[in-house]
Each structure stands twice: as C-alpha cells, then as structure tokens.
Amino acid sequence: MSRFEIIGKAPIRGEISVQGAKNAVLPILAATIMTEEVCVIDNCPYLRDVDKTILVLRGLGSKVMRTDHTITVSDNGYCDCEICETLMRQMRSSIIFLGAILTRCKKAVLSMPGGCPIGQRPIDLHLKALKKLGVKIKEEHGFIYCYADKITGADIHLDFPSVGATENIMLASVMAQGTTTISNAAREPEIKDLANFLNSMGAKITGAGESQIRIEGVCELHGTRYRVMPDRIVAGTYLIAAAITGGDITITDAEPDNMNAICDTLIQMGANLDIGDNKIHIMSADRLKAVEIIRTMPYPGFPTDIQSPFMSLLSVANGTSILVENIFENRFRHVDELVRMGADIKVSGRTAIIKGVDELYGATVRARELRGGAALVLAGLCANGKTIVDNTEYIDRGYERIEECLSKCGAHIKRVN
Ligand code: UD1
C-alpha cells in the first residue's frame, strides 16, 4: 500500500512524453495468443493492468518476456482455454481474452467479470454477438462456458457502441469462415489500433475507427512487431495538470488528432494550446473559465475516462459548470473526496453541478478507482497545503510513474510506502 504526498501550488512546467495506451495494449496482448509465431509489442507502459495481462498470458501457456517497454510473446505450442478466477476478478478487462481464446481453442471458460467501482459493466452485448458467430454459451455458477465447432462470419449490430464488445467481435471473427460486419461499432482510436495490429498479423479488417467494420476471415495469423499508440487519456491528464497549476508544458509523442474533445474543452475554458503533429503545448497563466455543460459520450464525443480529471479543473474554474456522465452510472466516486478539499459540487443522478471555488485546500483523500484517483492528484497539485492521496494502486493501473513525470516538471509529489 502506498500513498502520494503532494504540496500544492507549484506550476507544472516542462515536457512529458506520453506513455503507450493502456486500453490499446491490453487487447493487443490478448490477440497475440492467436498465432504460434512470435509477436513483439513496443511502447508497452509499466502498469498494473499490463502486469496482470502478462500473468493471464502466462497462465494460458504463452512465454512472455519484457525488456524495458517491449514485450515479446511466444508460444509454447499450446493454449489453455481457461482464465483463472482470481485474475478475472482482479482485472475486469480480462474479458477481452474471450474472443482471442475462442479463435485459438474454439472453446473458452471464464468466470463472470461482475461489477466494478464505476458501474455494473455487463457483457450481454459481447455474448449476444458471439452467439451470432455460432458460439454456444452456457452461464452457470458464475462461469461462462463457450464452445464452437466452427466460428462463422455474421452481420452484427451493436445496440450500443461498446468498446469491449467491438474488440471481442473482431478477435472472435478474424479467423472465422466468411465475412463479419459490425454496425454501430465503437469508434475509439484504440479499436483502430487493435485492427492495425491484427492486420499486421495478416488479418483483413477494414473500417475500424468508423461505425461499420468489415472483417474477412483469414486461415491463419502470423507473428509481427507493432508499436502501441499513445495514451490520449494520460496525455489529457497532464494537460490538465498544467492548466490547473497555471503552468506551461509540452506533451510529446502524442496523437492530437485523437484528442479533439479534450483540447477543444481546454481552449473553451481559456487555455492556450499550440497543437503540432505529435505534440501539444499548453500555457495557462490565468484562472480558467467554467464550461456550460460537458456530456460524456462514445468517441468522438467527450471521453468518460477524462471526466473526473476535468472535474478537478472545473472545481477551481471561474463560474459554474455542469458535467453529465452518460457512459457509466457510478463514475462520481471522487466527488466526496474533492468536496473534502473544499470543492463545491452537487450530484443528482448522472449530473454534477460544479461551482468553481477560489481555492482547494490540502486534505487526506482516498482513490477509489483509476481516473477518480488521478483527479485527486490533480486537485492536490493546485491545493493550498499538503494533500495525501491514499490507494495509489488504483492510479498505477493506468499511469506509469505519474509522480516521476509530474515532479520532473516541478510538482512537489512523492510516493510514500
Ligand atoms: C472501455 C475502456 C474504458 C472506457 C470505456 C468507455 C478498456 C480496457 N476500457 O471499457 O476505459 O471507459 O471503454 O470508453 O478499453 N455495456 C453493456 N453491455 C455490454 C458492454 C457494455 O451494457 O455488453 C455498457 C457498459 O455498462 C457501459 C457502456 O456500455 O455503460 C460502455 O461500455 P464499453 O464501451 O463496453 O466499455 P469497456 O469496453 O468496458
């Protein structure tokens, strides 16, 4: 167990290179089990969720080696079809292995992932789509048993553009007999990254990143080398760190094209952004303005994952803002902690009304999930006095050494074990 101790008010100044994207690397690592050849994945961040994914891969029989930010996955000649229940419970996104295991083994046994701190997170859309591909599914005693003589391409419409369901369909249908189409597919950039990775293995996927994806089944996939895309949510978090402290930083190795909703909102609040091909420079000397309303939406809308970091910024903006969380029903768990630090936030259902205060003050607060935890670190950076953020393990699920990145840019933050 560790915590962050932060002395607020130091402006964040300097340069931060963005880590690889957590939400891209997890499905890409899962996809490596679909070939017996070697896959080399570059730009893999050091994160708890990546460590857990490596454990899942090893549990399934893969050989996994890590050298710095490169992970090499090779096959031992077999692949187990079952993920142990403990790992499923520790990382809900292990569900992304379902499609890949089915492609490799034609059967899969997983325990039900269940709820998580940000909401119920059902998998009905995943299972409904897999059934359309010819997979037989039995749910019993908290386990999902899947089995398919053969996987056959199908036309699948998603009632909601779920990221995980879109990825699982791609993984399950990449070597199916015939062609699969997904309509109302999720358009998140991480979907495109997974498709690019699969295509580099020999898959035939077109349309990823748009709402209509077409997957022509191929007979086999081969090994490849691939570089994971940059993390747009981490990049956004560091931009907010500069904005909330009146600082001035350049984010490098980013993909600004994937960050329009984040950059537009910062500009609307009064921050100065200079956006290049793969970098963003932010300067924010004055107190920023409130925004009338932010609604989280599937991509290219405002990302739910950056909602809580923005709430910290809105807490000290000039005026009143409204934030509506449309994706997950329980994603305001950081609000009570921000209120402990002096924020003026009222929540009713999925809506939060944030009246900007002149100043937050340091307090002892507790991270309860990943992005809410990052929001508390941001609040600590601008607060008057000392903030202690407990439960850093949540933050470590998605941010690689956040305290080092921030202290290198002038923040007074240290990890205490
Ligand atoms: C992924 C991201 C997560 C991000 C989210 C939305 C990963 C590892 N995680 O999560 O960081 O916040 O996308 O951008 O990539 N739903 C159903 N039934 C289903 C599947 C989803 O009702 O079968 C609902 C969920 O409860 C939620 C909404 O759809 O309300 C969005 O979920 P989804 O897009 O699937 O998110 P994840 O893939 O779990």
Side-chain angles (χ1 to χ4, degrees), residues 22-23 26 92-93 121-126 160-165 167 188 304-305 327-329 331:
K22 169 179 88 73
N23 289 352
L26 301 183
R92 189 200 174 278
S93 48
R121 307 191 87 172
I123 54 162
D124 54 313
L125 298 172
H126 302 234
F160 182 88
S162 152
V163 173
E167 291 170 343
E188 269 67 3
T304 172
D305 285 350
I327 308 295
F328 291 109
E329 68 273 21
R331 221 169 191 183

Side-chain angles (χ1 to χ4, degrees), residues 264-306:
D264 287 354
T265 308
L266 286 168
I267 292 168
Q268 203 185 324
M269 292 180 75
N272 292 307
L273 265 69
D274 185 7
I275 301 174
D277 282 347
N278 62 358
K279 57 183 175 184
I280 306 172
H281 178 206
I282 182 167
M283 272 174 304
S284 165
D286 302 320
R287 185 177 180 192
L288 297 184
K289 300 187 288 259
V291 268
E292 206 175 312
I293 188 158
I294 295 177
R295 296 182 181 85
T296 64
M297 300 289 254
Y299 189 86
F302 189 90
T304 172
D305 285 350
I306 202 80

Side-chain angles (χ1 to χ4, degrees), residues 11-33:
I12 302 298
R13 294 208 170 96
E15 190 175 297
I16 298 177
S17 154
V18 182
Q19 69 186 54
K22 169 179 88 73
N23 289 352
V25 74
L26 301 183
I28 286 174
L29 286 173
T32 61
I33 65 165

Side-chain angles (χ1 to χ4, degrees), residues 307-308 311 315 320-325 328-339 343-355:
Q307 174 261 105
S308 31
M311 196 184 286
S315 297
T320 299
S321 311
I322 297 175
L323 243 172
V324 183
E325 173 54 60
F328 291 109
E329 68 273 21
N330 198 8
R331 221 169 191 183
F332 285 144
R333 291 168 60 92
H334 50 284
V335 168
D336 286 350
E337 307 298 300
L338 287 177
V339 169
D344 183 346
I345 306 172
K346 302 271 180 308
V347 173
S348 169
R350 286 175 176 247
T351 303
I353 299 172
I354 306 129
K355 275 191 200 163

